[in-house]
Amino acid sequence: MDPESSQRQCASCEELEPQFNLTVIKENVLRPLCTDCLLKEQRKLFCPICLELYAGPPPLEATRICILCPSIAHLHCSPPSPSSSRSSFSYHFFTCPLCVNPNFSFLPKSLATTSDQSGDNDDDDDDDDDDDVDLQKAKALVAAAEIVVACTENAAAQLKEEAANKSIEAEEAKKKAKEALEYLENVKEKAEEKRKAKKPKLQ
Protein backbone atom coordinates (compact mmCIF):
# COMPACT_ATOMS: atom_id res chain seq x y z
CA MET A 1 0.00 0.00 0.00
CA ASP A 2 1.13 3.52 -0.77
CA PRO A 3 2.58 5.00 2.48
CA GLU A 4 0.72 8.24 1.86
CA SER A 5 -2.56 6.36 1.46
CA SER A 6 -1.95 4.37 4.65
CA GLN A 7 -1.63 7.64 6.53
CA ARG A 8 -5.16 8.53 5.39
CA GLN A 9 -6.57 5.12 6.33
CA CYS A 10 -8.14 4.48 9.71
CA ALA A 11 -5.86 2.10 11.61
CA SER A 12 -8.86 0.46 13.28
CA CYS A 13 -11.74 0.07 10.82
CA GLU A 14 -9.41 0.49 7.81
CA GLU A 15 -11.73 2.95 6.11
CA LEU A 16 -9.88 4.67 3.29
CA GLU A 17 -9.66 8.43 3.54
CA PRO A 18 -12.39 9.07 6.14
CA GLN A 19 -13.65 12.63 6.03
CA PHE A 20 -12.57 13.32 9.60
CA ASN A 21 -9.28 11.56 10.23
CA LEU A 22 -7.29 12.30 13.39
CA THR A 23 -3.91 11.08 14.57
CA VAL A 24 -3.34 9.99 18.14
CA ILE A 25 -0.21 8.87 19.96
CA LYS A 26 -0.45 5.46 21.60
CA GLU A 27 2.62 3.86 23.16
CA ASN A 28 4.82 6.31 21.24
CA VAL A 29 3.24 5.25 17.93
CA LEU A 30 1.21 7.58 15.71
CA ARG A 31 -2.14 6.04 14.78
CA PRO A 32 -4.52 7.63 12.24
CA LEU A 33 -8.11 7.01 13.29
CA CYS A 34 -11.50 8.09 12.04
CA THR A 35 -13.58 10.03 14.56
CA ASP A 36 -15.84 7.09 15.38
CA CYS A 37 -12.99 4.64 16.07
CA LEU A 38 -11.09 7.20 18.11
CA LEU A 39 -14.11 7.78 20.35
CA LYS A 40 -14.70 4.05 20.72
CA GLU A 41 -11.10 3.42 21.75
CA GLN A 42 -11.12 6.28 24.26
CA ARG A 43 -14.67 5.82 25.54
CA LYS A 44 -13.65 5.98 29.20
CA LEU A 45 -12.64 9.64 28.80
CA PHE A 46 -16.10 11.05 28.09
CA CYS A 47 -19.79 10.59 28.68
CA PRO A 48 -21.12 8.33 25.89
CA ILE A 49 -24.46 10.14 25.92
CA CYS A 50 -23.59 13.85 25.76
CA LEU A 51 -19.98 13.29 24.54
CA GLU A 52 -18.60 15.72 27.12
CA LEU A 53 -15.02 15.00 28.17
CA TYR A 54 -14.20 14.58 31.84
CA ALA A 55 -11.57 16.98 33.14
CA GLY A 56 -10.72 14.40 35.78
CA PRO A 57 -12.24 11.34 37.42
CA PRO A 58 -15.95 12.18 37.81
CA PRO A 59 -17.55 11.76 41.24
CA LEU A 60 -19.07 8.30 41.54
CA GLU A 61 -22.26 9.60 43.09
CA ALA A 62 -22.96 11.64 39.93
CA THR A 63 -22.23 8.93 37.37
CA ARG A 64 -23.34 5.58 36.09
CA ILE A 65 -20.81 2.95 35.00
CA CYS A 66 -21.30 0.58 32.09
CA ILE A 67 -21.35 -3.01 33.28
CA LEU A 68 -19.61 -4.23 30.10
CA CYS A 69 -16.96 -1.61 29.30
CA PRO A 70 -15.09 1.37 30.82
CA SER A 71 -17.75 3.92 29.75
CA ILE A 72 -18.96 6.29 32.45
CA ALA A 73 -22.07 8.42 31.90
CA HIS A 74 -23.39 11.42 33.77
CA LEU A 75 -26.24 10.43 36.03
CA HIS A 76 -28.44 13.12 34.48
CA CYS A 77 -27.60 11.87 30.97
CA SER A 78 -28.58 8.29 31.71
CA PRO A 79 -31.05 8.39 34.60
CA PRO A 80 -31.75 5.09 36.37
CA SER A 81 -35.09 3.39 36.00
CA PRO A 82 -37.89 4.71 38.25
CA SER A 83 -37.89 1.44 40.18
CA SER A 84 -34.24 1.84 41.17
CA SER A 85 -33.42 3.32 44.54
CA ARG A 86 -30.18 5.05 45.49
CA SER A 87 -29.31 2.11 47.71
CA SER A 88 -29.83 -0.48 44.98
CA PHE A 89 -26.89 -2.03 43.15
CA SER A 90 -28.28 -1.11 39.73
CA TYR A 91 -28.65 2.60 40.51
CA HIS A 92 -25.12 3.50 39.41
CA PHE A 93 -24.79 0.95 36.61
CA PHE A 94 -26.10 0.86 33.06
CA THR A 95 -25.29 -0.52 29.61
CA CYS A 96 -23.80 2.07 27.28
CA PRO A 97 -25.10 2.55 23.71
CA LEU A 98 -22.10 0.79 22.17
CA CYS A 99 -22.54 -2.30 24.34
CA VAL A 100 -26.28 -2.36 23.68
CA ASN A 101 -25.71 -2.15 19.93
CA PRO A 102 -22.34 -3.34 18.53
CA ASN A 103 -23.12 -1.41 15.33
CA PHE A 104 -23.55 1.84 17.23
CA SER A 105 -21.47 4.71 15.87
CA PHE A 106 -20.61 7.99 17.54
CA LEU A 107 -20.25 9.51 14.08
CA PRO A 108 -22.02 7.34 11.50
CA LYS A 109 -20.65 7.61 7.99
CA SER A 110 -23.95 9.20 6.94
CA LEU A 111 -23.44 12.04 9.42
CA ALA A 112 -20.12 12.93 7.88
CA THR A 113 -21.84 13.96 4.65
CA THR A 114 -25.50 14.54 5.53
CA SER A 115 -25.20 18.22 6.36
CA ASP A 116 -23.01 18.88 3.33
CA GLN A 117 -25.54 17.29 0.99
CA SER A 118 -28.71 18.60 2.61
CA GLY A 119 -28.96 21.71 0.45
CA ASP A 120 -31.74 24.25 0.88
CA ASN A 121 -34.93 23.00 2.48
CA ASP A 122 -37.98 25.02 3.49
CA ASP A 123 -39.52 22.33 5.66
CA ASP A 124 -39.22 23.28 9.34
CA ASP A 125 -39.16 19.66 10.54
CA ASP A 126 -36.35 18.83 8.14
CA ASP A 127 -34.47 21.90 9.30
CA ASP A 128 -34.80 20.74 12.90
CA ASP A 129 -33.52 17.30 11.92
CA ASP A 130 -30.56 18.88 10.15
CA ASP A 131 -29.82 20.94 13.26
CA ASP A 132 -29.84 17.77 15.38
CA VAL A 133 -27.49 16.07 12.92
CA ASP A 134 -25.14 19.04 12.88
CA LEU A 135 -25.14 19.19 16.69
CA GLN A 136 -24.37 15.48 17.04
CA LYS A 137 -21.66 15.77 14.41
CA ALA A 138 -20.15 18.82 16.12
CA LYS A 139 -20.17 17.15 19.55
CA ALA A 140 -18.42 14.06 18.18
CA LEU A 141 -15.79 16.11 16.36
CA VAL A 142 -15.14 18.36 19.36
CA ALA A 143 -14.82 15.37 21.69
CA ALA A 144 -12.42 13.64 19.30
CA ALA A 145 -10.30 16.78 18.91
CA GLU A 146 -10.12 17.28 22.68
CA ILE A 147 -9.06 13.66 23.14
CA VAL A 148 -6.26 14.10 20.58
CA VAL A 149 -5.04 17.18 22.46
CA ALA A 150 -5.17 15.33 25.79
CA CYS A 151 -3.33 12.30 24.38
CA THR A 152 -0.67 14.53 22.83
CA GLU A 153 -0.16 16.41 26.09
CA ASN A 154 0.07 13.14 28.03
CA ALA A 155 2.58 11.75 25.54
CA ALA A 156 4.65 14.94 25.74
CA ALA A 157 4.61 14.83 29.54
CA GLN A 158 5.63 11.18 29.48
CA LEU A 159 8.50 11.85 27.08
CA LYS A 160 9.63 14.76 29.24
CA GLU A 161 9.58 12.55 32.32
CA GLU A 162 11.47 9.80 30.50
CA ALA A 163 14.07 12.33 29.33
CA ALA A 164 14.48 13.61 32.89
CA ASN A 165 14.86 10.06 34.20
CA LYS A 166 17.43 9.23 31.53
CA SER A 167 19.35 12.39 32.41
CA ILE A 168 19.42 11.34 36.07
CA GLU A 169 20.48 7.83 35.08
CA ALA A 170 23.24 9.25 32.89
CA GLU A 171 24.55 11.40 35.75
CA GLU A 172 24.51 8.40 38.09
CA ALA A 173 26.31 6.30 35.48
CA LYS A 174 28.99 8.99 35.08
CA LYS A 175 29.41 9.17 38.85
CA LYS A 176 29.77 5.40 39.13
CA ALA A 177 32.23 5.34 36.23
CA LYS A 178 34.31 8.03 37.93
CA GLU A 179 34.26 6.11 41.20
CA ALA A 180 35.28 2.93 39.36
CA LEU A 181 38.22 4.71 37.71
CA GLU A 182 39.32 6.17 41.04
CA TYR A 183 39.09 2.73 42.63
CA LEU A 184 41.11 1.23 39.79
CA GLU A 185 43.81 3.88 40.16
CA ASN A 186 43.90 3.25 43.90
CA VAL A 187 44.28 -0.50 43.36
CA LYS A 188 47.07 0.07 40.84
CA GLU A 189 48.91 2.39 43.21
CA LYS A 190 48.70 -0.10 46.07
CA ALA A 191 49.83 -2.91 43.79
CA GLU A 192 52.80 -0.82 42.68
CA GLU A 193 53.72 -0.03 46.28
CA LYS A 194 53.62 -3.72 47.20
CA ARG A 195 55.73 -4.60 44.18
CA LYS A 196 58.34 -2.04 45.16
CA ALA A 197 58.30 -3.21 48.77
CA LYS A 198 58.95 -6.82 47.73
CA LYS A 199 61.71 -5.93 45.27
CA PRO A 200 65.07 -7.08 46.74
CA LYS A 201 67.58 -4.34 47.44
CA LEU A 202 70.88 -4.51 45.57
CA GLN A 203 73.98 -4.88 47.79
Side-chain angles (χ1 to χ4, degrees):
M1 180 182 292
D2 180 12
E4 185 176 349
S5 298
S6 65
Q7 293 177 2
R8 297 192 299 266
Q9 181 181 23
C10 177
S12 182
C13 69
E14 299 184 349
E15 178 189 1
L16 288 173
E17 300 189 10
Q19 185 172 2
F20 301 106
N21 201 33
L22 299 166
T23 301
V24 293
I25 301 175
K26 185 175 183 180
E27 298 177 351
N28 294 331
V29 176
L30 295 175
R31 300 183 70 236
L33 294 170
C34 67
T35 300
D36 183 45
C37 289
L38 188 152
L39 293 175
K40 287 177 178 177
E41 286 193 2
Q42 303 292 338
R43 68 184 81 172
K44 64 181 179 181
L45 300 180
F46 62 94
C47 172
I49 310 300
C50 70
L51 304 186
E52 179 182 325
L53 256 68
Y54 298 118
L60 293 178
E61 65 273 11
T63 59
R64 301 187 75 202
I65 303 171
C66 180
I67 60 175
L68 298 175
C69 80
S71 288
I72 302 175
H74 296 118
L75 193 61
H76 61 267
C77 288
S78 179
S81 61
S83 60
S84 299
S85 64
R86 282 189 173 273
S87 60
S88 68
F89 176 80
S90 61
Y91 186 81
H92 286 288
F93 293 89
F94 81 122
T95 305
C96 74
L98 185 58
C99 291
V100 170
N101 176 16
N103 295 321
F104 173 83
S105 176
F106 289 106
L107 184 68
K109 302 297 184 287
S110 58
L111 283 189
T113 56
T114 298
S115 59
D116 296 333
Q117 298 175 351
S118 60
D120 296 331
N121 197 322
D122 295 331
D123 190 281
D124 291 339
D125 291 336
D126 288 343
D127 288 342
D128 291 340
D129 290 341
D130 289 343
D131 290 341
D132 291 340
V133 167
D134 287 340
L135 180 59
Q136 182 178 351
K137 177 179 175 181
K139 284 184 175 181
L141 294 175
V142 168
E146 289 178 342
I147 288 174
V148 170
V149 172
C151 289
T152 302
E153 290 177 346
N154 289 339
Q158 184 177 355
L159 289 174
K160 185 176 180 180
E161 182 179 356
E162 290 177 357
N165 291 337
K166 289 186 181 297
S167 177
I168 294 173
E169 291 173 0
E171 288 297 324
E172 291 179 349
K174 286 171 62 177
K175 182 179 178 181
K176 290 180 179 179
K178 183 179 179 181
E179 291 174 350
L181 287 173
E182 291 175 350
Y183 176 77
L184 179 60
E185 288 297 324
N186 188 38
V187 170
K188 288 171 64 178
E189 288 177 2
K190 289 182 178 180
E192 182 65 20
E193 290 175 359
K194 287 183 179 180
R195 187 183 66 80
K196 289 181 179 180
K198 291 181 179 180
K199 187 176 181 180
K201 295 182 180 180
L202 296 175
Q203 298 295 333

